Amino acid sequence: MDLQIKEEVIGLYENHFGEEMTAFELLPGSGSYREYCRMKSKNHQAIGAYNADVKENRAFISFSHHFFTQGMPVPEIYAVNADETCYLQEDLGDLTLFDYLSKTREREGFSPKIVQVYKRVLQELPRLQIFAGQGIDYSACYPRAAFDEQSMMWDLNYFKYYFLKLAKIPFDEQLLEDDFKTFTQYLLQAENNYFLYRDFQSRNIMLRDNKVAFIDYQGGRKGPLQYDLASLLYDAKADIPQDIRNQLLDFYLDELEKYQAVDRDRFKAFYSAYVLIRIMQAMGAYGFRGFYEKKEHFLKSIPFALDNLDYLLANHSIPVPLKELFKVLKAVSESDYLREIGQQKQELTVRVCSFSYKKGLPEDPSGNGGGYVFDCRAIHNPGRYDEYKQLTGRDQEVIDFLESRSEIADFLKHVYALVDQSVGVYQKRGFTNLSVSFGCTGGQHRSVYAAEQMARHLENNFKLKVVLTHREQDF
């Protein structure tokens, strides 16, 4: 978040609440281009959001106002700036369903406690789709007012060009296009006069005070019931066991019958089809963000998506012929290249970086956020002396200075202890990315030396991949 945007968001907060902000925290990035921060003052707290896409903001704000008045568990919108690029929303905390799932599963597997939380979510879902969806202003939807043929073709072509092409899967373009048309015509036969959340997955569901709440529904539009259920239950990295998925599907249908009559066989037939298009849409996103934008953490979801695809290919109930599409999907499922991507990502990668505080904190290209940032500015600085000003922490003269005339050895001893502890836990739990950054005034002497020593220490003591970057020296 650059300085101008930060000042705009802070000004919106202070003008709305009439209090001076006392704490500002930039929140980890998501898969979108929106930026979020948490702000606090004496009596208030809120999440600030910035997004240059005004139409998307209008959709989110419009839906939020509507759902909030309907008593749905969504964040209240407090204020919006004049050009609609920044807004304040209620702070629903930090615990997502995905976080809860990951932590609980680590201790006790996919336990009944997790299933109960999913059931609470599924009790709210038909209320959102049917009850709260009534009277919504679909003219605010962006980019489409309905999950119509155009929307479906966008998703299918997204999959074709950003996943199939980049994953090197061969296909007959014309035959695949023909199947896409057949597939969309079948999908459009499902009842579609409901609110479709669009990205109803575990990272967009918050848990607070033993209750669920929803965020990030700005892509909502009119559509079928099956799509959001497919998004939740086939959320790739949530990796819900198939028997639990089946149990939760039936639970949802029981809840749905409280609102309307349900033909379960017909619902499930369309459900298989919407699971498939959702998996394909998600793979398109993994391809675009992972293969094209080189954001590694999106590639981690591919093995889970392949497992979901395997099951669907063996158990779907889609009643229309899709010969080329299923041929292509089988090739995706059997691709050694895609399977190897998942295997390669199991090794822990530690990104070690030196930087200058004058130019801001370094970005984490893995997309995970967090990690360690160590401040080297308390260390005796060789950059103060003329004979070292043109050198860096990789030059022997600077190395000798720091090792004989500074406190850097004691500093690094404590750094090693902290990082070693995290590396051990990360490797045990199968995490794949950790960042360790060292900052100093110019990013030239102390931070460079510390980063070099950290990289050497890790390589000598652990089996992992180290990526060393000296931001101010390398670019």
Side-chain angles (χ1 to χ4, degrees):
M1 184 175 286
D2 69 30
L3 182 59
Q4 184 176 355
I5 294 169
K6 181 178 178 180
E7 289 176 347
E8 178 76 17
V9 175
I10 292 173
L12 186 64
Y13 180 94
E14 293 183 339
N15 287 337
H16 177 74
F17 290 113
E19 293 182 344
E20 181 181 0
M21 185 203 69
T22 57
F24 180 96
E25 175 190 4
L26 188 63
L27 299 181
S30 65
S32 74
Y33 300 107
R34 294 182 297 278
E35 297 180 77
Y36 295 102
C37 60
R38 172 174 286 115
M39 293 174 287
K40 299 179 183 179
S41 57
K42 182 177 180 181
N43 298 300
H44 296 93
Q45 181 169 324
I47 299 295
Y50 168 80
N51 182 12
D53 192 334
V54 170
K55 290 184 178 179
E56 188 176 74
N57 293 342
R58 288 172 180 164
F60 178 74
I61 292 164
S62 175
F63 296 157
S64 295
H65 285 316
H66 176 79
F67 290 143
F68 192 79
T69 61
Q70 297 295 312
M72 292 303 301
V74 299
E76 181 179 0
I77 303 298
Y78 297 133
V80 183
N81 72 344
D83 63 7
E84 300 176 280
T85 56
C86 299
Y87 52 90
L88 303 179
Q89 65 185 59
E90 182 182 357
D91 187 350
L92 299 177
D94 294 312
L95 184 61
T96 67
L97 174 58
F98 181 78
D99 293 334
Y100 175 82
L101 167 65
S102 301
K103 294 172 183 176
T104 306
R105 197 170 192 169
E106 178 72 23
R107 296 192 306 269
E108 55 195 61
F110 208 99
S111 68
K113 288 197 297 189
I114 297 174
V115 175
Q116 287 305 312
V117 174
Y118 269 90
K119 286 183 175 180
R120 287 206 295 273
V121 174
L122 291 173
Q123 286 174 326
E124 294 289 347
L125 178 56
R127 191 162 79 92
L128 178 74
Q129 295 170 311
I130 299 171
F131 169 71
Q134 295 175 359
I136 202 165
D137 180 9
Y138 284 105
S139 69
C141 294
Y142 177 70
R144 301 287 292 179
F147 194 57
D148 54 12
E149 183 177 8
Q150 181 69 71
S151 294
M152 294 174 187
M153 290 303 296
W154 280 347
D155 284 354
L156 295 171
N157 284 308
Y158 192 46
F159 167 72
K160 179 171 67 175
Y161 292 116
Y162 283 110
F163 191 84
L164 294 182
K165 292 275 191 181
L166 298 180
K168 307 171 187 176
I169 302 297
F171 57 87
D172 184 305
E173 184 108 25
Q174 185 59 61
L175 292 178
L176 190 59
E177 280 292 312
D178 292 343
D179 279 359
F180 282 174
K181 290 180 181 178
T182 300
F183 190 35
T184 57
Q185 291 307 307
Y186 174 68
L187 290 167
L188 289 168
Q189 294 175 36
E191 294 180 53
N192 57 11
N193 195 30
Y194 307 98
F195 179 76
L196 188 153
Y197 194 116
R198 177 63 170 168
D199 200 15
F200 194 70
Q201 46 101 349
S202 58
R203 286 180 175 82
N204 290 337
I205 299 169
M206 308 301 297
L207 304 180
R208 186 177 67 168
D209 301 329
N210 208 34
K211 296 178 180 179
V212 301
F214 305 133
I215 59 173
D216 283 5
Y217 34 76
Q218 56 278 335
R221 62 200 72 177
K222 187 179 292 187
L225 297 168
Q226 289 90 341
Y227 189 95
D228 287 338
L229 184 63
S231 298
L232 180 69
L233 299 188
Y234 282 83
D235 180 3
K237 289 190 74 176
D239 194 27
I240 302 174
Q242 191 56 51
D243 61 328
I244 302 296
R245 283 192 184 122
N246 295 337
Q247 176 187 337
L248 292 173
L249 168 59
D250 287 329
F251 179 85
Y252 170 83
L253 293 175
D254 291 341
E255 291 298 311
L256 184 59
E257 285 179 334
K258 297 177 181 178
Y259 295 86
Q260 63 183 39
V262 180
D263 181 336
R264 292 193 174 220
D265 290 337
R266 177 177 169 82
F267 185 98
K268 289 181 178 181
F270 282 115
Y271 174 67
S272 282
Y274 278 102
V275 169
L276 178 56
I277 195 171
R278 176 60 183 181
I279 290 175
M280 293 166 69
Q281 186 275 337
M283 284 183 163
Y286 305 151
F288 178 70
R289 300 291 193 183
F291 293 131
Y292 183 73
E293 292 190 333
K294 307 298 184 185
K295 295 180 178 179
E296 293 181 5
H297 68 290
F298 284 94
L299 298 178
K300 296 177 193 174
S301 294
I302 290 178
F304 299 102
L306 295 180
D307 290 342
N308 290 342
L309 186 59
D310 285 344
Y311 177 82
L312 189 66
L313 290 174
N315 297 278
H316 75 85
S317 55
I318 302 170
V320 292
L322 302 168
K323 184 177 179 180
E324 181 68 13
L325 176 56
F326 280 114
K327 176 184 173 183
V328 166
L329 293 175
K330 189 171 187 294
V332 169
S333 174
E334 296 174 353
S335 168
D336 291 337
Y337 170 65
L338 292 174
R339 296 288 178 184
E340 287 170 5
I341 285 175
Q343 293 171 1
Q344 290 170 358
K345 300 307 167 187
Q346 296 309 305
E347 182 182 34
L348 176 63
T349 296
V350 182
R351 288 179 170 78
V352 181
C353 177
S354 69
F355 69 96
S356 164
Y357 274 100
K358 293 180 179 178
K359 298 182 180 180
L361 298 179
E363 294 183 358
D364 176 13
S366 75
N368 292 315
Y372 289 103
V373 178
F374 295 104
D375 189 344
C376 300
R377 289 175 294 184
I379 306 298
H380 190 189
N381 183 11
R384 294 179 179 177
Y385 303 92
D386 289 341
E387 61 265 38
Y388 304 115
K389 284 185 177 180
Q390 302 305 314
L391 304 177
T392 77
R394 287 178 286 191
D395 291 309
Q396 190 60 49
E397 296 91 332
V398 174
I399 293 171
D400 292 342
F401 177 98
L402 289 168
E403 292 181 351
S404 63
R405 299 173 60 184
S406 82
E407 313 83 354
I408 204 159
D410 287 338
F411 172 80
L412 286 175
K413 180 174 67 174
H414 296 296
V415 169
Y416 293 157
L418 283 170
V419 174
D420 287 359
Q421 182 181 30
S422 289
V423 167
V425 173
Y426 274 38
Q427 289 185 321
K428 181 179 179 181
R429 297 181 65 183
F431 293 173
T432 54
N433 285 279
L434 175 65
S435 65
V436 182
S437 300
F438 295 90
C440 64
T441 306
Q444 181 179 342
H445 299 100
R446 296 164 293 181
S447 62
V448 169
Y449 174 87
E452 290 279 337
Q453 296 302 311
M454 183 79 253
R456 188 174 295 113
H457 170 83
L458 291 170
E459 289 172 338
N460 290 340
N461 290 278
F462 297 94
K463 185 178 179 181
L464 44 70
K465 179 181 178 182
V466 176
V467 178
L468 176 61
T469 303
H470 298 297
R471 192 182 70 181
E472 319 310 343
Q473 308 301 313
D474 297 343
F475 299 100

